[in-house]
């Protein structure tokens, strides 16, 4: 007999390289060959199948033998969770095994002990406060009916069920669901499927087979969400290549399950595979969810996957994703944190901390969500339950990697603080110097190297300071002086400085840019400081134009005129260009001069400018500063149109949101497409910047406050993980 005990998690915790390699090897093995644990529930259903033509003989005696050999000492069957608390999953599995044994009048002692277990714990089934597997009420009551001899009810619409039959004869690759149709004389072709599965697994069967595509995609998604996917890049690439082939061949294993299909689409698109949304067309109508097994069981995870996939539109006229997004936006967290505003490192910390907080599992890997059916009279046919594969190795590596990263981040932040002092930026009283918040934006999007993170952060600090200077801290003479100095660049000595403030600003920009360019020479094979200098020239030129408008009290006549300066003045050019120098591969002159690179930069700057304008237009109107929202409202409210200023402002915001959305679609299209002059790693920087901007300017959210941003920065850089690891013999990894 098996004992229901609390398994020792993290049996070996040490900080040796050998132990880390062992953990990596275990995960690689799981990625290559998904190990499916046996399901007591599904095995019990398979055990009930008789030999054709003889209802007195079981077709799968090996399944019965497994049930007899795998009862726990307390009389139960089910998942051996790290808890002694009886749950509804255990009750369901135990009842199914009892019914299977009773079907063949074998294992009388096992049946008695199982019934005693159910009797002692029957109150658990009635307790609404205890979390239940999806569809538990239908399945448990159906099995009780079967156990008392009344069967599963008169099922009225088996044609609806058979619509889910796969090419292999199964019902949605579920052994238990397949058995239900066989027992009711509807699916004898499913016997071959059951023969194959029981032969492969030797008697016990998993909750679903085949499910390699779903399981492997879940593993890839989990590794990415936990921040350790980089260590398994080769394996993940192989899995996504396989998934892409399944997608292109419209394989039912991938396409017929809503959650699997949506997850595949999201991962493939974000990894640069050239796919359209056509494969998602089957989910355009809300009824595709409401009438499905997912909707019946209120599967919020399937709904969340659909919603996340709908946010990855690359075209404004992608009606498939637009429709899916319009009806699937029910998940509160998804609405609060859309895919295009999630910063990976912040999200990974949250995932790591929540990985062990599930009530049933102290450490949760990924769930194999079972689904269910019902017929027209609402009586149960068969409902799948949730099985769980714990993955201690993933949590161990994620915790270790996060701790290591934080040490690196803290050292880099110290270096940045020293740089601020060396450049004398701290002597400028007007400067909004927030190194930790600024550095957070580089660390949270997982920029690939120290040099990229430092260059990104230094230019974020510089552009913010220069923007403040042009925003009213500098005189017109000083501003023009700084623009001429940057235009002249190496020849700045011919011009001279109109003030100490200008001198500090110029040398901070000039010397930092030269240092970045020199550091990039080994990768770029040439000195590319001219590209950084040019990006600064475009930036300050736009800032000067806006400053002149403000000082002259000039209002641009159109939004287009305003954006001609506002796009450059948003100042992403120096930030992205500098960071791109440290992202492989080498960037040629052709890349920087290409229409594609310029277009990417314009899109990113436009996104930033519109997001900023929507957050700050009220303040800027009061100080007489031009803003796209104000300009659009003015152009649509005057001239006898009769519209109120408030209505015009709301219309302006709607129009700017529409333009913003279009820019985001186009940016994602360029970033994820299969071709282009700009290398994919460089293109990705523009998307990462867009995510930072959407996060910072998230409407009606705490992150736009200084306190909220500082809290987020501290979470990534300073605050330790709130993870209590189980006791071990060797300390922590």
């Amino acid at each position: 007999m098996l004992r229901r005990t609390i398994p020792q998690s993290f049996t070996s915790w040490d900080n040796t390289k050998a132990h880390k390699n062992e953990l990596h090897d275990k995960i690689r093995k799981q990625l290559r060959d998904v190990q499916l644990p046996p399901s007591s529930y599904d095995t019990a259903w398979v055990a009930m199948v008789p030999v054709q033509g003889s209802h007195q003989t079981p077709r799968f005696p090996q399944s019965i033998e497994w049930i007899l050999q795998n009862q726990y000492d307390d009389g139960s069957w089910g998942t051996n969770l790290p808890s002694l608390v009886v749950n509804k999953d255990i009750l369901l599995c135990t009842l199914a095994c009892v019914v299977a044994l009773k079907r063949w009048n074998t294992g009388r002692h096992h049946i008695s002990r199982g019934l005693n277990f159910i009797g002692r714990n029957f109150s658990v089934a009635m307790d609404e406060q205890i979390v239940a597997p999806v569809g538990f009420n239908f399945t448990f009551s159906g099995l009780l009916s079967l156990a008392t001899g009344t069967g599963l009810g008169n099922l009225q619409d088996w044609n609806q069920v058979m619509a889910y039959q796969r090419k292999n004869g199964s019902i949605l690759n579920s052994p238990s669901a397949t058995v239900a149709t066989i027992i009711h004389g509807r699916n004898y072709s499913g016997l071959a499927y059951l023969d194959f599965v029981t032969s492969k697994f030797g008697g016990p069967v998993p909750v679903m087979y085949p499910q390699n595509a779903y399981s492997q995609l879940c593993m890839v998604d989990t590794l990415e969400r936990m921040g350790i996917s980089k260590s398994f890049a080769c394996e993940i690439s192989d899995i996504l290549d396989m998934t892409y082939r399944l997608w292109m061949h419209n394989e039912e294993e991938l396409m017929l399950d809503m959650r699997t299909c949506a997850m595949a689409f999201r991962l493939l698109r974000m990894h640069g595979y050239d796919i359209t949304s056509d494969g998602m067309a089957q989910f355009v109508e809300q009824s595709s969810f409401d009438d499905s097994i997912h909707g019946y069981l209120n599967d919020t995870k399937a709904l969340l996957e659909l919603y996340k996939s709908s946010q990855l539109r690359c075209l404004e006229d992608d009606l498939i994703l637009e429709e899916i997004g319009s009806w699937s936006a029910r998940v509160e967290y998804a609405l609060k944190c859309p895919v295009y505003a999630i910063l990976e490192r912040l999200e990974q910390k949250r995932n790591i901390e929540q990985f062990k907080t599930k009530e049933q599992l102290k450490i949760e890997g990924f769930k194999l969500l079972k689904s269910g059916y019902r017929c027209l009279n609402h009586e149960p046919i068969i409902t799948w339950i949730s099985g769980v594969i714990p993955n201690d190795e993933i949590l161990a590596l994620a915790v270790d990697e996060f701790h290591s990263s934080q040490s690196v981040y803290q050292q880099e932040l110290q270096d940045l603080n020293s740089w601020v002092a060396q450049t004398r930026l701290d002597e400028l009283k007007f400067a909004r110097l927030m190194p930790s918040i600024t550095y957070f934006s580089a660390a949270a999007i997982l920029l690939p190297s120290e040099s990229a993170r430092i260059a990104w952060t230094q230019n974020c600090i510089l552009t913010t300071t220069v923007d403040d200077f042009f925003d009213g801290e500098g005189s017109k003479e000083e501003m023009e002086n700084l623009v001429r100095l940057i235009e002249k660049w190496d020849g700045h000595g011919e011009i001279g400085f109109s003030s100490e403030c200008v001198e500090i600003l110029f040398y901070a920009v000039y010397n930092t840019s030269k240092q970045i360019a020199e550091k990039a020479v080994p990768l770029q094979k040439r000195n590319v400081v001219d590209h950084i200098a040019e990006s600064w020239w475009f930036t300050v030129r736009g800032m000067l134009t806006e400053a002149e408008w403000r000082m002259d009290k000039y209002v641009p006549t159109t939004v287009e005129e305003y954006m001609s300066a506002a796009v450059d003045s948003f100042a992403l050019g120096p930030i992205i260009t500098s960071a791109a120098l440290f992202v492989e591969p080498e960037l040629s002159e052709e890349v920087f001069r290409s229409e594609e690179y310029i277009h990417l930069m314009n899109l990113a700057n436009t996104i930033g400018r519109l997001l900023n304008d929507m957050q700050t237009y009220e303040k800027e109107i009061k100080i007489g500063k031009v803003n796209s929202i104000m300009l659009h409202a003015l152009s649509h409210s005057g001239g006898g149109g009769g519209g109120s200023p408030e209505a015009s402002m709301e219309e302006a915001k709607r129009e700017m949101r529409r333009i913003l959305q279009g820019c985001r679609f186009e940016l994602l299209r360029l970033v994820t497409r299969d071709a282009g002059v700009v290398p994919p790693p460089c293109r990705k920087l523009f998307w990462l910047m867009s995510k930072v901007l959407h996060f910072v300017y998230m409407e009606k959210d705490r992150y736009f406050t200084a306190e909220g941003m500082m809290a987020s920065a501290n979470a990534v850089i300073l605050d330790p993980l709130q993870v209590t690891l189980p006791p071990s013999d060797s300390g922590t990894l």
Side-chain angles (χ1 to χ4, degrees), residues 385-445:
I385 62 171
S386 294
V388 186
I389 299 178
N391 211 318
D392 299 350
E393 293 83 7
I394 287 178
L395 181 60
L397 289 175
V399 169
D400 178 66
E401 200 282 332
F402 192 90
H403 286 159
S404 299
S405 295
Q406 273 199 326
S407 298
V408 172
Y409 297 160
Q410 289 164 13
Q411 180 58 56
E412 290 177 4
L413 183 56
Q414 287 183 25
D415 295 341
L416 283 163
N417 285 324
S418 298
W419 166 81
V420 168
Q422 291 166 5
T423 55
R424 300 175 60 197
L425 290 174
D426 55 348
E427 297 179 23
L428 302 176
K429 303 303 181 186
F430 63 85
R432 292 174 293 165
L433 299 176
M434 299 176 289
S436 59
I437 290 178
T438 312
Y439 176 74
F440 157 71
S441 71
I445 57 174

Side-chain angles (χ1 to χ4, degrees), residues 60 62 193-205:
F60 303 108
Q62 65 270 43
Y193 164 77
L194 294 177
D195 288 339
F196 176 79
V197 174
T198 53
S199 173
K200 179 176 178 63
F201 293 96
V205 297

Side-chain angles (χ1 to χ4, degrees), residues 375-621:
C375 54
L376 293 182
N377 66 355
H378 293 241
E379 293 184 59
I381 296 176
I382 187 65
T383 306
W384 298 351
I385 62 171
S386 294
V388 186
I389 299 178
N391 211 318
D392 299 350
E393 293 83 7
I394 287 178
L395 181 60
L397 289 175
V399 169
D400 178 66
E401 200 282 332
F402 192 90
H403 286 159
S404 299
S405 295
Q406 273 199 326
S407 298
V408 172
Y409 297 160
Q410 289 164 13
Q411 180 58 56
E412 290 177 4
L413 183 56
Q414 287 183 25
D415 295 341
L416 283 163
N417 285 324
S418 298
W419 166 81
V420 168
Q422 291 166 5
T423 55
R424 300 175 60 197
L425 290 174
D426 55 348
E427 297 179 23
L428 302 176
K429 303 303 181 186
F430 63 85
R432 292 174 293 165
L433 299 176
M434 299 176 289
S436 59
I437 290 178
T438 312
Y439 176 74
F440 157 71
S441 71
I445 57 174
L446 303 177
L447 287 180
S449 69
E450 174 188 357
S451 296
R453 290 189 294 271
I454 295 295
W456 175 290
T457 308
Q458 287 174 334
N459 278 279
C460 281
I461 293 172
L462 287 170
T463 52
T464 301
T465 306
V466 171
D467 182 59
D468 288 343
F469 174 75
F470 278 93
D471 225 13
E473 297 298 333
S475 66
K476 184 174 183 180
E477 178 189 4
E478 288 176 312
M479 289 186 282
E480 291 174 343
N481 182 215
L482 182 58
V483 171
R484 288 198 304 272
L485 288 164
I486 289 178
E487 181 182 18
K488 201 70 173 176
W489 201 248
D490 286 334
H492 61 272
E494 304 170 12
I495 299 174
F497 305 102
S498 61
S499 69
E500 185 180 23
C501 176
V502 172
E503 182 178 6
I504 291 174
L505 281 176
F506 174 75
Y507 277 127
V509 170
Y510 179 75
N511 291 331
T512 301
S513 299
K514 288 185 66 176
Q515 291 164 7
I516 290 171
E518 289 169 5
K519 193 182 295 185
V521 167
L523 180 60
Q524 298 300 326
K525 307 296 190 297
R526 61 196 175 96
N527 193 312
V528 290
V529 70
D530 55 321
H531 294 300
I532 305 176
E534 185 177 57
S535 67
W536 269 108
W537 157 237
F538 287 133
T539 297
V540 296
R541 186 183 60 180
M543 290 179 176
L544 179 61
T545 299
E546 289 187 326
E548 289 173 341
W549 289 344
R550 184 187 69 251
M551 290 183 289
D552 296 340
K553 294 184 170 44
Y554 172 75
V555 177
T557 56
T558 64
V559 174
E560 290 72 22
E561 182 185 2
Y562 163 75
M563 293 298 287
S564 66
V567 168
D568 286 334
S569 73
F570 195 73
L572 297 185
I575 301 169
I576 296 177
T577 299
S578 297
L581 300 176
F582 302 100
V583 177
E584 294 184 8
E586 176 185 346
L587 301 177
S588 66
E589 187 78 14
E590 178 189 10
V591 169
F592 286 113
R593 302 299 177 196
S594 67
E595 291 184 7
E596 181 184 6
Y597 188 86
I598 295 169
H599 188 32
L600 285 163
M601 189 67 75
N602 284 337
L603 286 169
N605 271 318
T606 301
I607 288 170
R609 176 53 65 195
L610 293 179
L611 284 169
N612 178 273
D613 283 1
M614 283 188 286
Q615 284 282 6
T616 61
Y617 73 93
E618 292 177 332
K619 179 185 73 174
E620 291 180 341
I621 287 174

Side-chain angles (χ1 to χ4, degrees), residues 3-11 79-84 361-363 390 392 726-727:
R3 296 183 181 276
R4 183 176 298 283
T5 59
I6 303 177
Q8 176 63 47
S9 298
F10 300 93
T11 54
T79 305
N80 193 9
L81 296 171
S83 171
L84 291 178
L361 279 179
K362 289 196 166 116
I363 302 153
D392 299 350

